[in-house]
Amino acid sequence: MKNTPLDMADLASTLARVREVPVFSKAPGPSLGFLLEQASLCHLEAGECLIGRGSVPDSVHVLLRGHVGMFEGETRQNDYLVDLMPAPQMIGLSEALLGEPYGHSFFAADEVESLALPVDRLLALISTNPHLLQSMIGALSLRLHALVSQVNMLKTKRADQRLAEHLLGLMRENRGAESFDLPYDKKTLAAHLGIAPESLSRSISKLRKMGVSMDGKRVSIADAAVLEDYLFESVKV
């Protein structure tokens, strides 16, 4: 992982990127400037560790680009992948607010860019800005909702349905593009969906009938509405 101090000459562009994270979307400019004064940019390649399990948080990470996997253990093993988080969002907020060590490890699933915000500055800002605290509670609620939705997917949908739902999510990340690149390898995808690699291959074959093709990491979806209708119909079965 490569850490570099934030170039204050690029403050305006960095502010704009940070505001893409919902919790900071309406934060006053001076407050964000206070946070960014001692922030640093972290650049990681796929497989590099962003946060180690058991470490005490001294910064909260704002994921600006890429995807980060949350793992149960201390190493990057797909068998222990708990969640796969896309940008933009915050990582480590609850641990920072509670002052507790991280209970999971976080590894880059692809090329990642993260902004590390010092915890002491964040807590100082929260103490004088109740609206920011309210936004952070809202962000944690959304995070919980996302995890509940993921559990629902794992318990109620077949492997091919999980894959279809995930690909539709990646399509939204790519602003509705009908063709896009899978940002991580297929082993990571299978682990995130809670299926074996061979089940992923069978699911890909099933989705070809729905107009989905995967050539290496290249994904093409002929008609998103077909996949969405398929998911809706599967709920009733």
Side-chain angles (χ1 to χ4, degrees), residues 4-213:
T4 56
L6 184 63
D7 187 353
M8 298 309 290
D10 296 330
L11 180 60
S13 62
T14 304
L15 279 172
R17 298 180 70 188
V18 171
R19 287 194 186 280
E20 293 178 6
V21 181
V23 69
F24 293 124
S25 61
K26 297 181 180 179
S31 297
L32 289 182
F34 173 77
L35 277 177
L36 296 178
E37 282 179 0
Q38 295 184 13
S40 61
L41 280 172
C42 306
H43 299 271
L44 297 90
E45 299 296 328
E48 289 191 287
C49 183
L50 176 66
I51 299 170
R53 179 180 179 180
S55 61
V56 178
D58 57 5
S59 60
V60 171
H61 286 268
V62 179
L63 184 59
L64 299 176
R65 178 167 56 90
H67 300 75
V68 169
M70 182 171 72
F71 291 81
E72 177 65 24
E74 298 179 0
T75 60
R76 184 180 181 270
Q77 297 183 35
N78 286 329
D79 290 345
Y80 300 104
L81 177 62
V82 177
D83 194 18
L84 195 57
M85 297 173 287
Q89 66 175 288
M90 296 184 72
I91 299 175
L93 178 58
S94 59
E95 290 84 355
L97 293 178
L98 295 172
E100 295 183 350
Y102 290 104
H104 298 83
S105 299
F106 298 82
F107 288 84
D110 55 351
E111 189 174 339
V112 162
E113 184 178 15
S114 173
L115 185 65
L117 304 176
V119 167
D120 56 351
R121 290 216 160 200
L122 182 63
L123 295 179
L125 189 59
I126 290 173
S127 67
T128 59
N129 192 328
H131 295 293
L132 182 58
L133 178 58
Q134 185 177 11
S135 295
M136 290 187 175
I137 293 173
L140 291 174
S141 297
L142 289 174
R143 175 77 179 134
L144 177 60
H145 177 74
L147 291 173
V148 170
S149 297
Q150 182 175 322
V151 170
N152 179 70
M153 177 190 70
L154 292 172
K155 284 185 170 291
T156 64
K157 297 186 184 302
R158 300 190 309 268
D160 56 324
Q161 297 163 355
R162 299 177 202 173
L163 176 60
E165 187 170 352
H166 188 74
L167 293 180
L168 287 171
L170 289 176
M171 188 178 188
R172 288 190 289 271
E173 283 185 32
N174 286 272
R175 301 181 180 181
E178 294 182 352
S179 294
F180 52 88
D181 289 327
L182 188 68
Y184 25 76
D185 58 54
K186 291 181 180 178
K187 286 185 178 180
T188 298
L189 174 59
H192 176 60
L193 297 177
I195 60 179
E198 55 269 24
S199 294
L200 176 63
S201 297
R202 289 193 294 268
S203 297
I204 293 171
S205 297
K206 288 182 180 180
L207 292 188
R208 290 196 184 101
K209 300 176 183 178
M210 308 290 176
V212 176
S213 65

